[in-house]
Amino acid sequence: MARRSVLFSPGDRPELLRKASQTEADVIVFDLEDAVSPARKDDARSAVRSVLTDPDFSPTAEVCVRLSGVDDRADLAAICADGSVVDAIMRSKVDDPAQIDELQAQLMGYDDDLTLYALIETAQGVLNAEAIAAATATDVVVFGAEDLAADLGATRTTEGTEVLYARERVVLAASAANIDAIDTLYTDFSDTEGLRTDTEFSLTLGFDGKLAIHPNQVPVINDAFTPTDEQLEWAKKVLAARDEAAASDRGVFQVAGEMIDAPLIAQAERILERAA
């Protein structure tokens, strides 16, 4: 499934949880962690449960809940209540694949078919990114630059060079494990052009989607991860020429003066997959 835009919504604000489902986000995340103060965790669980089990709540997006990081047992009891439409669970600050395996074991009493998101946002998590992504229970990895910078004691910059190595390591790990990789958020939700530039960079790195913290960020992210008409036309020409070349036993061929080989064929296939 497409996971271009992954929109967070605070778990203790039921009106915003419902509003999130009315956006065009591919994934909506009901957040029980950072968006909720410690004193309101119970209120947030109740709010999330009431929305997830409401018969009138029927979102088209994938519905994910980020665990509070305080009490998994209480979180899961609320999230996985009878009638819940939850599709996925996200665990923050994953340092080791055993944490995802443990979460899957906890879900055995509920629904063990839920998609599991591993949020990698610590130095240890980045160093273990390959093992975390390769774990059987991991379905999606997410890169979190803000918490990583705090863990490192790094200073966040507009260029993001301080987290670039980690960003690339996470997407490489996801690609090697053949799972989706979601890139970090862009914190200034009023800066549309900055978000567009950063999202286009996410795409060049190989990410499948990007986090959003405001509904206004969703269309910008979706647009950046959706192939343009020109890209689609190029991809179709490449694959048509590939088929023609295969009939003549040619491994390399040209399209509009450009020499095409296996890597560019793979790029064309990826463009069509993303468009679909």
Side-chain angles (χ1 to χ4, degrees):
M1 65 168 292
R3 293 187 173 100
R4 299 167 300 175
S5 49
V6 181
L7 175 63
F8 279 83
S9 190
D12 60 346
R13 298 284 300 279
E15 73 282 5
L16 295 183
L17 300 179
R18 295 179 188 278
K19 185 177 180 180
S21 69
Q22 298 168 7
T23 68
E24 295 182 355
D26 292 330
V27 184
I28 53 177
V29 182
F30 294 175
D31 190 10
L32 294 175
E33 196 206 29
D34 288 346
V36 180
S37 68
R40 290 186 56 80
K41 297 296 184 185
D42 286 339
D43 293 335
R45 292 186 189 100
S46 296
V48 167
R49 177 173 180 159
S50 68
V51 174
L52 291 176
T53 58
D54 184 350
D56 293 329
F57 182 68
S58 54
T60 56
E62 181 178 52
V63 180
C64 179
V65 178
R66 177 159 73 160
L67 300 179
S68 67
V70 176
D71 188 340
D72 285 356
R73 189 178 300 277
D75 292 344
L76 294 177
I79 296 165
C80 301
D82 290 344
S84 173
V85 295
V86 68
D87 301 303
I89 302 291
M90 180 183 295
R91 166 158 282 177
S92 298
K93 297 179 178 61
V94 177
D95 292 331
D96 186 277
Q99 292 171 284
I100 295 296
D101 292 335
E102 178 188 359
L103 176 57
Q104 186 183 48
Q106 290 175 316
L107 285 168
M108 292 297 288
Y110 299 100
D111 183 355
D112 58 353
D113 289 331
L114 292 176
T115 297
L116 299 188
Y117 284 66
L119 179 48
I120 298 176
E121 51 185 347
T122 64
Q124 190 63 59
V126 170
L127 293 178
N128 286 336
E130 183 178 356
I132 292 168
T136 303
T138 304
D139 298 299
V140 182
V141 294
V142 183
F143 174 59
E146 305 309 316
D147 279 279
L148 174 64
D151 191 37
L152 295 175
T155 301
R156 291 290 277 127
T157 65
T158 302
E159 297 78 16
T161 52
E162 70 282 356
V163 294
L164 181 57
Y165 166 75
R167 202 174 183 182
E168 293 176 325
R169 186 178 177 105
V170 170
V171 75
L172 280 168
S175 181
N178 196 30
I179 62 175
D180 283 351
I182 309 300
D183 196 18
T184 192
L185 56 83
Y186 188 79
T187 56
D188 187 353
F189 57 80
S190 66
D191 181 8
T192 300
E193 288 309 309
L195 171 62
R196 190 182 308 279
T197 298
D198 195 57
T199 306
E200 289 172 352
F201 185 59
S202 301
L203 181 60
T204 65
L205 291 178
F207 281 95
D208 300 285
K210 191 168 183 64
L211 300 180
I213 53 172
H214 192 282
N216 289 345
Q217 294 183 311
V218 170
V220 178
I221 293 171
N222 282 351
D223 183 63
F225 277 98
T226 301
T228 64
D229 291 340
E230 292 76 15
Q231 289 172 322
L232 278 173
E233 183 180 359
W234 174 83
K236 290 175 180 177
K237 285 181 178 179
V238 167
L239 297 185
R242 174 203 61 187
D243 295 341
E244 183 179 337
S248 305
D249 290 329
R250 289 183 289 118
V252 178
F253 52 91
Q254 292 186 32
V255 172
E258 180 181 22
M259 191 64 70
I260 305 296
D261 55 8
L264 288 178
I265 291 172
Q267 182 178 334
E269 291 173 335
R270 184 175 177 83
I271 287 172
L272 291 183
E273 289 173 1
R274 182 174 284 120

